[in-house]
Amino acid sequence: MGPYLLGLRLSGRRVLVVGGGRVAQRRVPALLEAGAEVTVVSPSVTPALDDLIAAGRVTWHARPYEVGDCDGAWLVQACTDDRTVNTAVAAEAEAKRVWCVRADDKDASAAWTPATGRVDEISVAVTAGGDPRRAAGIRDAVVGALRDGTVDARRNRTKPVGVALVGGGPGDPGLITVRGRQLLAQADVVVADRLAPRALLDELAPDVELIDAAKVPYGRSLSQETINELLIDRARQGKFVVRLKGGDPFVFGRGGEEMIACARSGIPVLVVPGITSAVAVPASAGVPVTHRGVSQEFHVISVHVAPDDPRSTVDWPALARSHGTLVLLMAVERLPNVVEALLRDGRSPETPAMVVQDGTLPTQRAVIASLSTVADRVSAAGIRPPAIVIVGDVVRVGQEVEMVRAERLP
């Protein structure tokens, strides 16, 4: 018999995921997006899951599955590569009348994870007799028709070749370009950054190879040389490779290095620009990076090294003298050094500053302070990367907008 389809509202409900590999990496972001309280049980996890754990979004028990782990769960996902373990997890869930999805055996699974997609407020979920590839294909057609405003949404274009450097935007999956999303749907291989929109990964067909290229600050990372080699290797195998990045590939995204490496190996490269977080995140917090009569210039600076580091190529004295907006990326850990340099070289200590964490995402939050106090405020608030620092009088423009809105409320 066919399944009874149901949309689960998981907000605030415990979901157990047993296994910390690529299947779990695909499913956990979607569970988090639904508001679930996710617990992962696995001796090890992928770097992308590790980042979610470090951010406090996922609870991790770093050990093998044990009887009793299903207690209190509303839904269980058995995602290990060990059939015996998955069988034991499913048996416990069945005994406790908890729905369990087995990633390794559709016939033994009490529930199936459908191929899902979302366009605005419309969610699409497709099952196809437990055939995930077929379900994903149907899902793609329906989502494409909704997105493009067509009925059939047939794909008649020739499949791309080589490598596409796709900017995924600042975090919200709805902010990737239409072209980027189209190419992602046609990928054979996806090499995803830590800051790429994770929710998009759950839309990938099951046969797409997902390579985790996360660079966790002060943690595990895949070297740029290794990433270049992976892009070239998979493209030479005749596969279409999408390098999915956060923001824009060419704004501190090292896309230029990857393009050069592919070109030297004769691999065709397509570049799909993305919305850079340097502009989008301030905008999401209500701050324009330029504003008439306030700032007619803005500077985007990478602070992956401190101002006094000999490797820095940034003219900090010139930035301190400038009246333009400063947008600082990768600056949270070195914010005290940045403040010291700007104040030393002439910026007013009363210059407004804002730090926005998780910009464009539901978890977005911001701290507003003066330049002289912002580092202490950020530390006290526990702000962590990814975060954007904005320095300049445009921060007051955002505050003014909020005041006007508050005054107009009934």
Side-chain angles (χ1 to χ4, degrees):
M1 295 183 181
Y4 179 81
L5 298 182
L6 188 69
L8 297 181
R9 302 181 69 183
L10 294 174
S11 181
R13 291 181 166 88
R14 181 174 183 265
V15 175
L16 173 68
V17 178
V18 182
R22 289 190 296 175
V23 175
Q25 180 179 317
R26 289 171 182 251
R27 295 186 178 177
V28 167
L31 292 168
L32 292 174
E33 192 174 29
E37 296 180 357
V38 178
T39 297
V40 173
V41 174
S42 178
S44 61
V45 295
T46 67
L49 287 174
D50 201 7
D51 189 51
L52 292 172
I53 292 163
R57 301 188 64 196
V58 173
T59 300
W60 179 30
H61 298 307
R63 57 168 173 76
Y65 157 79
E66 296 174 358
V67 174
D69 283 338
C70 293
D71 289 346
W74 292 72
L75 176 66
V76 175
Q77 298 266 355
C79 302
T80 78
D81 56 4
D82 187 326
R83 183 178 179 84
T84 302
V85 173
N86 290 341
T87 299
V89 173
E92 182 189 357
E94 183 75 14
K96 294 176 177 175
R97 297 188 176 183
V98 179
W99 292 106
C100 178
V101 179
R102 285 188 60 164
D104 63 334
D105 190 335
K106 70 179 181 66
D107 295 321
S109 185
W112 295 335
T113 298
T116 61
R118 186 174 178 85
V119 181
D120 296 326
E121 75 283 358
I122 302 172
S123 295
V124 176
V126 181
T127 62
D131 183 340
R133 186 171 184 175
R134 185 183 182 197
I138 297 170
R139 180 273 318 277
D140 287 348
V142 174
V143 169
L146 290 170
R147 186 174 295 127
D148 300 336
T150 60
V151 175
D152 53 7
R154 295 189 180 97
R155 296 179 181 175
N156 296 319
R157 293 193 301 270
T158 303
K159 179 182 173 182
V161 296
V163 173
L165 305 179
V166 175
D172 181 343
L175 295 178
I176 190 174
T177 63
V178 172
R179 181 62 171 150
R181 202 152 193 167
Q182 289 171 343
L183 293 176
L184 192 62
Q186 298 177 56
D188 299 310
V189 180
V190 174
V191 182
D193 268 359
R194 179 177 70 94
L195 298 180
R198 293 191 181 102
L200 295 175
L201 302 180
D202 194 52
E203 297 182 10
L204 298 176
D207 59 334
V208 175
E209 181 185 5
L210 175 60
I211 298 176
D212 185 355
K215 289 184 172 68
V216 180
Y218 311 104
R220 293 187 293 179
S221 64
L222 206 60
S223 71
Q224 188 60 53
E225 291 73 17
T226 301
I227 293 172
N228 294 346
E229 292 169 2
L230 286 167
L231 297 177
I232 294 166
D233 174 72
R234 298 304 191 272
R236 281 178 171 167
Q237 293 179 28
K239 298 177 179 179
F240 176 52
V241 184
V242 169
R243 175 72 169 108
L244 182 62
K245 295 173 169 289
D248 182 276
F250 287 176
V251 179
F252 303 124
R254 305 188 74 168
E257 297 174 48
E258 294 166 355
M259 181 175 64
I260 291 171
C262 290
R264 286 174 175 167
S265 298
I267 304 298
V269 179
L270 172 65
V271 179
V272 180
I275 300 174
T276 175
S277 59
V279 175
V281 170
S284 71
V287 176
V289 293
T290 63
H291 191 74
R292 188 174 63 169
V294 177
S295 175
Q296 61 185 41
E297 60 179 316
F298 69 97
H299 307 264
V300 181
I301 304 103
S302 168
V303 195
H304 65 282
V305 294
D308 56 354
D309 192 302
R311 295 171 295 170
S312 176
T313 61
V314 178
D315 189 345
W316 288 100
L319 292 176
R321 293 191 302 270
S322 166
H323 295 290
T325 305
L326 306 184
V327 181
L328 311 176
L329 283 62
M330 297 174 276
V332 170
E333 298 294 335
R334 286 164 286 276
L335 191 52
N337 306 87
V338 170
V339 170
E340 180 183 358
L342 292 174
L343 294 178
R344 180 186 63 228
D345 293 316
R347 273 271 178 163
S348 168
E350 299 306 314
T351 303
M354 173 185 279
V355 182
V356 185
Q357 177 184 317
D358 293 341
T360 76
L361 297 174
T363 52
Q364 174 177 311
R365 62 184 183 131
V367 169
I368 300 175
S370 65
L371 181 59
S372 61
T373 63
V374 68
D376 290 338
R377 291 284 305 278
V378 164
S379 177
I383 296 291
R384 65 182 300 276
I388 302 293
V389 179
I390 309 139
V391 177
D393 289 336
V394 290
V395 173
R396 290 198 183 100
V397 176
Q399 292 178 289
E400 181 182 347
V401 170
E402 290 302 315
M403 291 175 60
V404 170
R405 286 175 176 169
E407 291 172 355
R408 294 180 65 87
L409 290 175

PDB file of all heavy atoms in Angstrom, residues 266-279:
ATOM      1  N   GLY A 266      42.516  22.894 -18.424  1.00  0.00           N
ATOM      2  CA  GLY A 266      41.637  22.780 -19.581  1.00  0.00           C
ATOM      3  C   GLY A 266      40.192  22.504 -19.239  1.00  0.00           C
ATOM      4  O   GLY A 266      39.438  22.010 -20.088  1.00  0.00           O
ATOM      5  N   ILE A 267      39.781  22.814 -18.024  1.00  0.00           N
ATOM      6  CA  ILE A 267      38.401  22.570 -17.594  1.00  0.00           C
ATOM      7  C   ILE A 267      37.571  23.843 -17.803  1.00  0.00           C
ATOM      8  O   ILE A 267      37.935  24.912 -17.295  1.00  0.00           O
ATOM      9  CB  ILE A 267      38.351  22.182 -16.099  1.00  0.00           C
ATOM     10  CG1 ILE A 267      39.234  20.962 -15.816  1.00  0.00           C
ATOM     11  CG2 ILE A 267      36.919  21.922 -15.662  1.00  0.00           C
ATOM     12  CD1 ILE A 267      38.829  19.718 -16.531  1.00  0.00           C
ATOM     13  N   PRO A 268      36.477  23.757 -18.558  1.00  0.00           N
ATOM     14  CA  PRO A 268      35.638  24.952 -18.731  1.00  0.00           C
ATOM     15  C   PRO A 268      34.996  25.373 -17.419  1.00  0.00           C
ATOM     16  O   PRO A 268      34.576  24.527 -16.624  1.00  0.00           O
ATOM     17  CB  PRO A 268      34.576  24.494 -19.751  1.00  0.00           C
ATOM     18  CG  PRO A 268      34.568  23.009 -19.680  1.00  0.00           C
ATOM     19  CD  PRO A 268      35.954  22.583 -19.296  1.00  0.00           C
ATOM     20  N   VAL A 269      34.940  26.681 -17.195  1.00  0.00           N
ATOM     21  CA  VAL A 269      34.409  27.218 -15.942  1.00  0.00           C
ATOM     22  C   VAL A 269      33.305  28.228 -16.244  1.00  0.00           C
ATOM     23  O   VAL A 269      33.475  29.111 -17.084  1.00  0.00           O
ATOM     24  CB  VAL A 269      35.515  27.903 -15.110  1.00  0.00           C
ATOM     25  CG1 VAL A 269      34.930  28.482 -13.823  1.00  0.00           C
ATOM     26  CG2 VAL A 269      36.621  26.913 -14.781  1.00  0.00           C
ATOM     27  N   LEU A 270      32.188  28.064 -15.557  1.00  0.00           N
ATOM     28  CA  LEU A 270      31.083  29.012 -15.630  1.00  0.00           C
ATOM     29  C   LEU A 270      30.971  29.696 -14.274  1.00  0.00           C
ATOM     30  O   LEU A 270      30.960  29.023 -13.237  1.00  0.00           O
ATOM     31  CB  LEU A 270      29.777  28.282 -15.957  1.00  0.00           C
ATOM     32  CG  LEU A 270      28.477  29.083 -15.889  1.00  0.00           C
ATOM     33  CD1 LEU A 270      28.464  30.176 -16.950  1.00  0.00           C
ATOM     34  CD2 LEU A 270      27.277  28.161 -16.059  1.00  0.00           C
ATOM     35  N   VAL A 271      30.902  31.008 -14.258  1.00  0.00           N
ATOM     36  CA  VAL A 271      30.794  31.755 -13.006  1.00  0.00           C
ATOM     37  C   VAL A 271      29.377  32.326 -12.880  1.00  0.00           C
ATOM     38  O   VAL A 271      28.902  33.021 -13.778  1.00  0.00           O
ATOM     39  CB  VAL A 271      31.829  32.894 -12.931  1.00  0.00           C
ATOM     40  CG1 VAL A 271      31.673  33.676 -11.625  1.00  0.00           C
ATOM     41  CG2 VAL A 271      33.244  32.341 -13.055  1.00  0.00           C
ATOM     42  N   VAL A 272      28.732  32.012 -11.776  1.00  0.00           N
ATOM     43  CA  VAL A 272      27.404  32.549 -11.486  1.00  0.00           C
ATOM     44  C   VAL A 272      27.539  33.460 -10.262  1.00  0.00           C
ATOM     45  O   VAL A 272      27.744  32.979  -9.150  1.00  0.00           O
ATOM     46  CB  VAL A 272      26.388  31.430 -11.200  1.00  0.00           C
ATOM     47  CG1 VAL A 272      25.011  32.026 -10.894  1.00  0.00           C
ATOM     48  CG2 VAL A 272      26.299  30.482 -12.388  1.00  0.00           C
ATOM     49  N   PRO A 273      27.464  34.779 -10.452  1.00  0.00           N
ATOM     50  CA  PRO A 273      27.620  35.690  -9.313  1.00  0.00           C
ATOM     51  C   PRO A 273      26.556  35.441  -8.249  1.00  0.00           C
ATOM     52  O   PRO A 273      25.450  34.964  -8.542  1.00  0.00           O
ATOM     53  CB  PRO A 273      27.450  37.071  -9.947  1.00  0.00           C
ATOM     54  CG  PRO A 273      27.705  36.869 -11.406  1.00  0.00           C
ATOM     55  CD  PRO A 273      27.239  35.484 -11.720  1.00  0.00           C
ATOM     56  N   GLY A 274      26.891  35.767  -7.025  1.00  0.00           N
ATOM     57  CA  GLY A 274      25.949  35.648  -5.925  1.00  0.00           C
ATOM     58  C   GLY A 274      25.813  36.965  -5.192  1.00  0.00           C
ATOM     59  O   GLY A 274      26.612  37.881  -5.374  1.00  0.00           O
ATOM     60  N   ILE A 275      24.808  37.075  -4.360  1.00  0.00           N
ATOM     61  CA  ILE A 275      24.620  38.265  -3.542  1.00  0.00           C
ATOM     62  C   ILE A 275      25.651  38.228  -2.419  1.00  0.00           C
ATOM     63  O   ILE A 275      25.645  37.309  -1.603  1.00  0.00           O
ATOM     64  CB  ILE A 275      23.199  38.313  -2.953  1.00  0.00           C
ATOM     65  CG1 ILE A 275      22.157  38.323  -4.072  1.00  0.00           C
ATOM     66  CG2 ILE A 275      23.018  39.523  -2.060  1.00  0.00           C
ATOM     67  CD1 ILE A 275      20.731  38.217  -3.579  1.00  0.00           C
ATOM     68  N   THR A 276      26.540  39.193  -2.390  1.00  0.00           N
ATOM     69  CA  THR A 276      27.574  39.192  -1.368  1.00  0.00           C
ATOM     70  C   THR A 276      27.017  39.585  -0.008  1.00  0.00           C
ATOM     71  O   THR A 276      26.199  40.510   0.106  1.00  0.00           O
ATOM     72  CB  THR A 276      28.738  40.120  -1.750  1.00  0.00           C
ATOM     73  OG1 THR A 276      29.665  40.169  -0.660  1.00  0.00           O
ATOM     74  CG2 THR A 276      28.265  41.531  -2.049  1.00  0.00           C
ATOM     75  N   SER A 277      27.483  38.899   1.022  1.00  0.00           N
ATOM     76  CA  SER A 277      27.037  39.209   2.371  1.00  0.00           C
ATOM     77  C   SER A 277      27.486  40.598   2.811  1.00  0.00           C
ATOM     78  O   SER A 277      26.891  41.190   3.714  1.00  0.00           O
ATOM     79  CB  SER A 277      27.571  38.164   3.356  1.00  0.00           C
ATOM     80  OG  SER A 277      28.985  38.124   3.322  1.00  0.00           O
ATOM     81  N   ALA A 278      28.523  41.144   2.147  1.00  0.00           N
ATOM     82  CA  ALA A 278      29.012  42.470   2.509  1.00  0.00           C
ATOM     83  C   ALA A 278      27.952  43.545   2.315  1.00  0.00           C
ATOM     84  O   ALA A 278      27.968  44.577   2.993  1.00  0.00           O
ATOM     85  CB  ALA A 278      30.254  42.815   1.676  1.00  0.00           C
ATOM     86  N   VAL A 279      27.029  43.334   1.403  1.00  0.00           N
ATOM     87  CA  VAL A 279      25.935  44.284   1.156  1.00  0.00           C
ATOM     88  C   VAL A 279      24.613  43.748   1.706  1.00  0.00           C
ATOM     89  O   VAL A 279      23.821  44.482   2.287  1.00  0.00           O
ATOM     90  CB  VAL A 279      25.805  44.574  -0.355  1.00  0.00           C
ATOM     91  CG1 VAL A 279      24.591  45.450  -0.628  1.00  0.00           C
ATOM     92  CG2 VAL A 279      27.068  45.247  -0.875  1.00  0.00           C
TER      93      VAL A 279
END
